[in-house]
Amino acid sequence: MSRLVRHDAKGPALIQVGEKVVAVCQCGLSKNKPFCDGSHKKTQDEAEHQTYMYDAEGNRVRVDDLFPAPKSKYTA
């Protein structure tokens, strides 16, 4: 079964663990989950109110480009 999960965060959550601060991935792109590996830097120039997918190589594609809305037969 496949599942799409939407992540809105563009940076990690910083959590204090004793004397150490741990960065936990919130963007969903880290190859070292649950820890941040800096992959969120790819998301910094994403347009608000757009949805994107990233492939295994980290290439970004707008979801609207993959799944365009169907054209209505009632439009002029």
Side-chain angles (χ1 to χ4, degrees), residues 4 7 9-10 27-29 31 39-47 51-63 66:
L4 292 176
H7 295 266
K10 293 184 177 182
C27 74
L29 299 176
K31 301 271 191 246
S39 294
H40 63 273
K41 294 174 184 157
K42 299 175 200 171
T43 69
Q44 299 306 304
D45 64 344
E46 290 179 349
T51 303
Y52 299 94
M53 292 176 62
Y54 289 81
D55 64 18
E57 289 80 39
N59 300 308
R60 176 173 58 199
V61 178
R62 274 186 17 180
V63 171
L66 292 174

Side-chain angles (χ1 to χ4, degrees), residues 6 8 15-16 23 36 39 49 53 57 60-61 63 65 72:
R6 181 177 169 170
D8 293 329
I15 300 172
Q16 184 84 33
C36 175
S39 294
H49 310 296
M53 292 176 62
E57 289 80 39
R60 176 173 58 199
V61 178
V63 171
D65 295 340
S72 171

Side-chain angles (χ1 to χ4, degrees), residues 1-5:
M1 172 193 322
S2 296
R3 182 170 295 137
L4 292 176
V5 178

